[in-house]
Amino acid sequence: MLAWYRRVRRDLPWRRTTDPYAILVSEVMLQQTQVARVVPRYEAWLERWPTAEALAAASPADVLRAWVGLGYNRRALRLREACAAVARDGWPREAAGLRRLPGIGPYTAAAVASFAFGEQVAAVDTNVRRVAGRLGVAPEELLPAGAAAEWNQAAMELGATVCGARRAACGECPARPWCPSAGRVVTPPRARGRRAVRFEDTDRYARGRVVAALAAGEGLPAGLDAERLERALAGLERDGLVVRDADGAARLPG
Ligand code: ADE
């Protein structure tokens, strides 16, 4: 697996650093957005806020504005809050401590702990869980001694490029000789019957439109039905992404 990874690995900017802040930024961005779209946003973000301290000192409104288009805006505020905790208390160097930071779940904690601090823990995202499931083992059983960081990247790379949810390219897989699922992966047909809800008809879309419009200084977006707009505003206000002035006007916080 490691030899395969060294041969095929994509040269991604967050794979060239052990800076925990840079790694955290990349992992939070990658939770929602494809690698190719994250790369330029990651580089611009680090240029603007090169350290956890710098991000902690930024206003929530600026952070939200810089996040627009990356999905789930709440993550941006949580990332800033995590950096505020780091600026105050320093970096926890183990996954258990990282998990106590705002917005950091078990996967992200393990990713930062292994990539930045060399902790020997498995970072298990949906790709890695699927790969291990097909191999018939627990992800933790696979960790080679002393090589967690590289192993975690390798397992992710395998899940992203070879052992896909919908396409398993078993012929290209370094684990094929040991894999009980080799050549037998059956992917379910795309869900049929249930009519897909257009993204444009979801509350999440409306919330994204509101934050993007406010971030661009355009006021509230046009073209959303009034009820959905109101629901989006109420949800955003509840989550601290939008504040309303005394006269009811909505704006980004801070
Ligand atoms: N997706 C989540 N984390 C990743 C990483 N470190 N490299 C590539 N894709 C990822």
Side-chain angles (χ1 to χ4, degrees):
M1 273 280 286
L2 294 175
W4 167 84
Y5 173 67
R6 285 171 202 148
R7 199 167 64 243
V8 304
R9 76 193 281 276
R10 293 169 293 173
D11 180 30
L12 302 171
W14 48 88
R15 288 179 172 169
R16 292 177 222 137
T17 180
T18 56
D19 172 14
Y21 168 70
I23 289 163
L24 179 60
V25 169
S26 75
E27 292 297 342
V28 176
M29 288 184 174
L30 286 161
Q31 281 166 20
Q32 195 51 39
T33 305
Q34 290 168 356
V35 165
R37 293 185 52 208
V38 166
V39 170
R41 302 292 298 267
Y42 165 88
E43 287 174 336
W45 189 278
L46 287 186
E47 204 148 292
R48 179 161 184 193
W49 296 299
T51 62
E53 290 74 15
L55 185 62
S59 79
D62 281 344
V63 171
L64 281 171
R65 260 182 230 114
W67 193 265
V68 164
L70 285 167
Y72 288 105
N73 294 301
R74 224 180 319 174
R75 293 215 174 113
L77 296 187
R78 306 280 274 172
L79 174 62
R80 177 179 166 278
E81 287 165 28
C83 287
V86 166
R88 199 175 52 237
D89 306 326
W91 281 99
R93 297 177 63 88
E94 295 183 343
L98 288 160
R99 278 192 66 172
R100 287 193 281 275
L101 294 173
I104 300 196
Y107 163 76
T108 305
V112 174
S114 66
F115 300 149
F117 301 119
E119 191 183 358
Q120 299 301 302
V121 286
V124 185
D125 67 356
T126 51
N127 280 335
V128 174
R129 189 169 297 113
R130 180 179 62 252
V131 168
R134 287 180 181 162
L135 283 165
V137 298
E140 296 74 17
E141 286 179 73
L142 291 171
L143 270 189
E150 197 174 24
W151 177 266
N152 285 335
Q153 293 284 2
M156 267 180 231
E157 195 80 347
L158 192 70
T161 63
V162 172
C163 193
R166 308 205 58 82
R167 192 186 87 100
C170 299
E172 297 161 34
C173 182
R176 178 175 188 134
W178 309 279
C179 184
S181 309
R184 306 166 47 171
V185 173
V186 178
T187 54
R190 282 191 195 286
R192 250 172 290 145
R194 260 184 313 135
R195 200 147 56 85
V197 177
R198 288 191 322 149
F199 182 53
E200 290 79 3
D201 294 331
T202 63
D203 285 356
R204 193 154 82 74
Y205 169 77
R207 290 172 52 125
R209 284 279 310 278
V210 169
V211 172
L214 293 176
E218 293 165 0
L220 292 174
L224 293 172
D225 86 64
E227 204 177 305
R228 193 177 295 287
L229 177 62
E230 190 44 49
R231 215 166 39 233
L233 278 168
L236 289 166
E237 194 177 13
R238 195 174 52 239
D239 291 340
L241 289 151
V242 158
V243 292
R244 294 216 232 187
D245 295 330
D247 63 0
R251 58 176 179 77
L252 298 182

